[in-house]
Amino acid sequence: MEQSSAIKCPSISYHLAGTKKIQQELAKPNVLERFLENKDDIAKLRQCFAGLWSLDDSNIVKDAIERPEFYVMKPQREGGGNNIYGDDVRKALLRLQEEGTDENSAYILMQKIFPTIASTFLIRDGICYKDRAISELGIYGAYLRNKENVIVNEQCGYLMRTKIASSNEGGVAAGFAVLDSVYLN
């Protein structure tokens, strides 16, 4: 497929770059240096990374069992509803240790992010209500190249989703979040 002249969207390399396991590898020391030379760019990128660890790291697993509220256990899947939070992290890790199977390679541990909570108005089913919420901004980009010739590489839109602060899930289609607009003050 990658050797064909068909337009691939995304290419296999860009698809893999979005997987949790690859993100985990990129977060390791000295890995970004293989792809980037500018130390300032590397430092800026590292500031954006949340902690990502394999379940092979016994010190992190021990810490996650002791303090599960600071971790999210993520399977190598997309679509929402699959992440493990809170005390369920402890239970899942203890179960995996007890079973001693290779199932733990299907998961990673991620540092839990604690975003800013704001009071906001939400409309659902035509009813407006006020609640404590968090928002997530996604930026869309378009990238097209022919071998080494970059034809298009630009930002082309955004999606703002807002969910109540007490919800671990955030999917709009799944009913956990609402579409929102950016308001800059």
Side-chain angles (χ1 to χ4, degrees):
M1 178 72 172
E2 282 299 303
Q3 294 178 357
S4 81
S5 60
I7 293 177
K8 277 92 50 197
C9 183
S11 68
I12 191 67
S13 57
Y14 282 99
H15 178 72
L16 288 172
T19 65
K20 293 169 186 77
K21 282 289 186 185
I22 296 298
Q23 292 168 3
Q24 174 192 329
E25 290 300 314
L26 289 171
K28 288 181 177 178
N30 301 316
V31 174
L32 284 177
E33 288 77 358
R34 291 179 48 206
F35 305 102
L36 300 170
E37 294 177 8
N38 186 306
K39 295 203 183 301
D40 290 335
D41 289 345
I42 293 168
K44 287 177 188 174
L45 271 174
R46 285 200 199 288
Q47 287 179 345
C48 296
F49 289 176
L52 297 161
W53 302 276
S54 161
L55 297 190
D56 295 334
D57 187 330
S58 59
N59 291 329
I60 291 296
V61 170
K62 180 178 183 281
D63 192 53
I65 290 170
E66 293 171 359
R67 304 179 321 140
E69 67 276 12
F70 293 107
Y71 295 90
V72 178
M73 198 167 152
K74 295 187 165 201
Q76 191 61 271
R77 304 160 82 170
E78 294 298 332
N82 302 304
N83 296 338
I84 301 170
Y85 299 90
D87 200 51
D88 290 336
V89 170
R90 177 193 338 264
K91 292 174 187 173
L93 290 171
L94 290 171
R95 179 185 60 80
L96 289 172
Q97 283 181 343
E98 191 176 294
E99 291 174 357
T101 66
D102 289 337
E103 186 186 352
N104 61 352
S105 64
Y107 293 93
I108 66 164
L109 280 170
M110 184 179 127
Q111 170 190 3
K112 187 170 181 185
I113 299 168
F114 295 94
T116 301
I117 297 173
S119 186
T120 191
F121 291 97
L122 301 157
I123 298 175
R124 185 173 302 259
D125 298 325
I127 300 168
C128 181
Y129 61 98
K130 189 175 183 179
D131 208 331
R132 294 168 28 92
I134 57 176
S135 296
E136 179 180 287
L137 176 65
I139 305 293
Y140 292 103
Y143 181 78
L144 181 64
R145 77 173 189 209
N146 184 355
K147 297 190 171 129
E148 300 304 316
N149 180 28
V150 175
I151 299 164
V152 175
N153 185 8
E154 58 190 45
Q155 180 272 332
C156 59
Y158 72 91
L159 175 93
M160 175 70 83
R161 65 181 180 180
T162 298
K163 66 177 185 174
I164 58 171
S166 61
S167 175
N168 284 326
E169 300 301 334
V172 173
F176 295 109
V178 298
L179 295 177
D180 207 344
S181 298
V182 177
Y183 174 73
L184 301 175
N185 188 1

